Amino acid sequence: ISVDSNGLGYGLAAELRGMGLPVFECNTTTSPTRNPDRYFRLRDQVWIEMAEWFQTENVRIPNNPKLVEELCEPTFDDSKGKIKVEDKKDMKKKLGRSPDYADALTLTFGPSKLRLSNNGSWSKPIKYDWVATYQ
């Protein structure tokens, strides 16, 4: 489970981990985990890797108009030798809201040190007793 560990997500990651769930804290403000000479920060890396994934044409996503709009919104700049994705605050201004759907999708590209691979070991159903927790 990839969680944006900036701000509120930090507490969420701790809660999920406390439930025994497999959690990856994806702090998009940190250095990239792959090709640090290509990206300024992890946020840039996961957005670009997602864009490259779309270019493979072997992709299916939900037909969600907000997600599609958010994926088409950001601009990219590579004039300083590294790729930088448009700042989230600028995307918010253009969209009139936060690009939460697209950001959630980009988080799926964060966990592995190897591009487009899954080295997770979680293979059992997630069982959680919600009633016992809130009594």
Side-chain angles (χ1 to χ4, degrees), residues 28-61:
T28 57
T29 63
T30 61
S31 298
T33 58
R34 293 177 287 277
N35 300 318
D37 55 321
R38 187 174 182 208
Y39 311 108
F40 281 100
R41 58 195 170 161
L42 184 57
R43 180 175 183 270
D44 305 317
Q45 173 192 314
V46 295
W47 268 92
I48 296 301
E49 288 182 354
M50 180 181 62
E52 291 170 346
W53 175 63
F54 276 103
Q55 291 173 352
T56 70
E57 298 179 14
N58 188 21
V59 175
R60 287 182 184 238
I61 60 170

Side-chain angles (χ1 to χ4, degrees), residues 2-105:
S2 293
V3 177
D4 182 354
S5 62
N6 304 334
L8 294 174
Y10 182 80
L12 174 62
E15 273 299 309
L16 293 171
R17 191 171 288 106
M19 293 176 192
L21 299 174
V23 177
F24 174 78
E25 294 182 38
C26 189
N27 185 339
T28 57
T29 63
T30 61
S31 298
T33 58
R34 293 177 287 277
N35 300 318
D37 55 321
R38 187 174 182 208
Y39 311 108
F40 281 100
R41 58 195 170 161
L42 184 57
R43 180 175 183 270
D44 305 317
Q45 173 192 314
V46 295
W47 268 92
I48 296 301
E49 288 182 354
M50 180 181 62
E52 291 170 346
W53 175 63
F54 276 103
Q55 291 173 352
T56 70
E57 298 179 14
N58 188 21
V59 175
R60 287 182 184 238
I61 60 170
N63 186 12
N64 179 310
K66 286 184 178 180
L67 172 61
V68 173
E69 179 185 24
E70 293 169 11
L71 293 173
C72 295
E73 189 58 46
T75 58
F76 305 90
D77 179 17
D78 63 356
S79 63
K80 295 181 181 169
K82 290 186 178 184
I83 301 171
K84 182 171 182 358
V85 177
E86 179 177 18
D87 286 332
K88 188 171 182 174
K89 68 178 189 308
D90 295 331
M91 290 176 64
K92 283 181 180 181
K93 285 179 190 175
K94 292 194 300 188
L95 288 166
R97 60 184 163 74
S98 181
D100 294 332
Y101 293 99
D103 279 346
L105 181 58

